[in-house]
């Protein structure tokens, strides 16, 4: 930065306007820090906001620095974990940094506490995560949760009603590819699950309809498939718990269906 830009400003006629000591503070909302320089010789900023503008970053409020020992515990209600940064524990600090709503952290249990084998029914495979093997952990939507979804669908495919999946690997978990959960379209989370489908409905019927057919304005829509595309599964309780329950909201009529499904009840084959 040139010295004349930092210490003194001139108007178009070359006349001196005022010294830095007499100028207003930073123009960013509620900043009120001392003036440092004008961005593009127009907008007055403090040093921090000037650097944010110079680097092309989104201008953000400057966080108040906390002295060591200000907080002993996380300030999220009911957390109680040791303070890490910004008034929060490490988990809630990461949630806050992502800009989403703060939520209670899931209780952590070591693999040793879960035991040496999968805790789903008679399975004796080595646990992969949360005490479940790779297959029954299900990339975050456990087999306990899938059992509950299957019972909600009357133990059949959610679209065609078949009682057999048609796939040796089991039923297919269908999800919406447009999700605000922050993951890739090929992945899923508790926000975008629609239900369980057989092989033909998931890989052929629904895929063809959703990705091709319905994008042509002249084609009439199929109410059954439109209702399926619009619905979402709601999980009540931890998705890896044997006591998880599920429900879904039918957006067509606003009704909600729910069912409690426990681990010892009917399971999809």
């Amino acid at each position: 930065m040139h010295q004349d830009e930092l210490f003194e400003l001139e108007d178009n006629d070359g006349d001196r306007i005022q010294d830095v000591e007499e100028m207003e503070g930073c123009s960013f909302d509620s900043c009120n820090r001392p003036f440092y320089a004008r961005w593009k010789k127009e907008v007055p900023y403090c040093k921090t906001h000037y650097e944010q503008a110079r680097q092309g970053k989104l201008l953000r409020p400057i966080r108040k620095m906390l002295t060591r020992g200000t907080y002993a515990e996380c300030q999220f209600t009911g957390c109680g974990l040791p303070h890490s940064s910004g008034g929060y524990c490490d988990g809630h600090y990461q949630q806050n940094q992502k800009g989403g709503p703060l939520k209670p952290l899931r209780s952590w249990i070591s693999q040793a506490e879960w035991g040496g084998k999968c805790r789903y029914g008679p399975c004796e495979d080595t646990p992969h995560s949360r005490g479940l093997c790779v297959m029954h952990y299900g990339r975050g939507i456990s087999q306990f949760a899938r059992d509950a979804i299957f019972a909600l669908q009357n133990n059949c495919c959610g679209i065609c009603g078949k009682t057999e999946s048609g796939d040796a690997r089991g039923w297919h978990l269908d999800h919406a590819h447009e999700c605000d959960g922050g993951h890739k379209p090929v992945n899923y989370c508790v926000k975008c699950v629609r239900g369980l489908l057989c092989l033909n409905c998931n890989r052929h019927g629904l895929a063809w309809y959703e990705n091709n057919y319905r994008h042509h304005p002249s084609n009439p829509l199929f109410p059954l498939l439109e209702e399926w595309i619009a619905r979402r599964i709601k999980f009540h309780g931890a998705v890896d718990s044997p006591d998880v329950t599920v429900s879904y909201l039918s957006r067509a009529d606003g009704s909600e269906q729910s069912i409690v499904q426990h681990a010892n009840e009917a399971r999809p084959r």
Side-chain angles (χ1 to χ4, degrees):
M1 181 185 307
H2 297 293
Q3 186 174 359
D4 58 348
E5 182 184 352
L6 176 58
F7 292 100
E8 156 179 303
L9 297 176
E10 295 181 356
D11 60 15
N12 294 332
D13 299 327
D15 297 329
R16 176 177 170 176
I17 298 177
Q18 54 189 342
D19 293 331
V20 171
E21 291 79 9
E22 300 174 350
M23 296 182 68
E24 68 272 26
C26 179
S27 64
F28 185 77
D29 293 342
S30 68
C31 178
N32 299 324
R33 287 194 166 206
F35 167 82
Y36 174 72
R38 287 182 181 268
W39 172 242
K40 295 185 177 180
K41 297 186 177 182
E42 294 181 0
V43 186
Y45 286 135
C46 64
K47 183 173 183 179
T48 302
H49 286 123
Y50 178 84
E51 289 299 323
Q52 289 180 359
R54 186 180 67 83
Q55 297 173 21
K57 296 180 179 179
L58 177 67
L59 297 188
R60 297 181 177 181
I62 301 173
R63 292 187 305 170
K64 182 179 178 181
M65 298 299 294
L66 300 175
T67 58
R68 186 179 295 274
T70 302
Y71 299 114
E73 296 182 348
C74 177
Q75 297 304 291
F76 182 77
T77 304
C79 178
L81 292 176
H83 172 259
S84 174
S85 181
Y88 299 111
C89 65
D90 184 64
H92 286 120
Y93 176 77
Q94 295 298 330
Q95 290 182 4
N96 187 55
Q97 287 294 98
K98 293 179 180 178
L102 299 185
K103 300 179 180 179
L105 300 179
R106 191 168 61 172
S107 59
W108 184 84
I109 302 177
S110 67
Q111 289 287 54
E113 291 178 286
W114 284 120
K117 64 179 183 178
C118 177
R119 59 189 177 90
Y120 180 81
C123 179
E124 296 187 355
D125 289 349
T126 302
H128 164 71
S129 181
R130 303 291 294 177
L132 296 169
C133 65
V134 173
M135 183 178 70
H136 292 133
Y137 178 70
R139 292 163 56 193
I141 307 299
S142 75
Q143 191 64 48
F144 296 124
R146 297 174 191 237
D147 290 349
I149 296 172
F150 196 60
L152 181 63
Q153 299 176 184
N154 297 320
N155 300 329
C156 62
C157 173
I159 292 179
C160 70
K162 290 183 179 179
T163 57
E164 297 293 336
S165 67
D167 190 338
R169 295 173 296 179
W171 295 92
H172 292 215
L173 188 73
D174 179 48
H175 69 284
H177 290 186
E178 299 80 19
C179 178
D180 60 359
H183 53 76
K184 296 180 180 180
V186 295
N187 296 330
Y188 46 76
C189 67
V190 295
K191 295 182 178 181
C192 56
V193 174
R194 294 173 182 158
L196 293 168
L197 298 177
C198 68
L199 174 64
N200 285 335
C201 285
N202 186 53
R203 292 283 181 86
H204 306 293
L206 183 63
W208 164 79
Y209 179 80
E210 187 174 12
N211 299 326
N212 187 357
Y213 180 88
R214 73 195 298 256
H215 290 288
H216 296 277
S218 60
N219 291 337
L221 300 180
F222 297 167
L224 174 64
L225 297 181
E226 287 296 320
E227 181 179 356
W228 177 267
I229 291 172
R231 75 177 243 172
R232 297 292 184 274
I233 292 291
K234 295 172 60 178
F235 297 91
H236 307 281
V239 293
D240 59 9
S241 169
D243 297 321
V244 63
T245 64
V246 297
S247 62
Y248 69 83
L249 184 65
S250 176
R251 300 185 184 182
D253 56 10
S255 64
E256 184 175 358
Q257 299 182 28
S258 63
I259 190 168
V260 177
Q261 176 65 28
H262 296 281
N264 59 353
E265 297 182 18
R267 295 176 176 143
R269 295 184 293 275

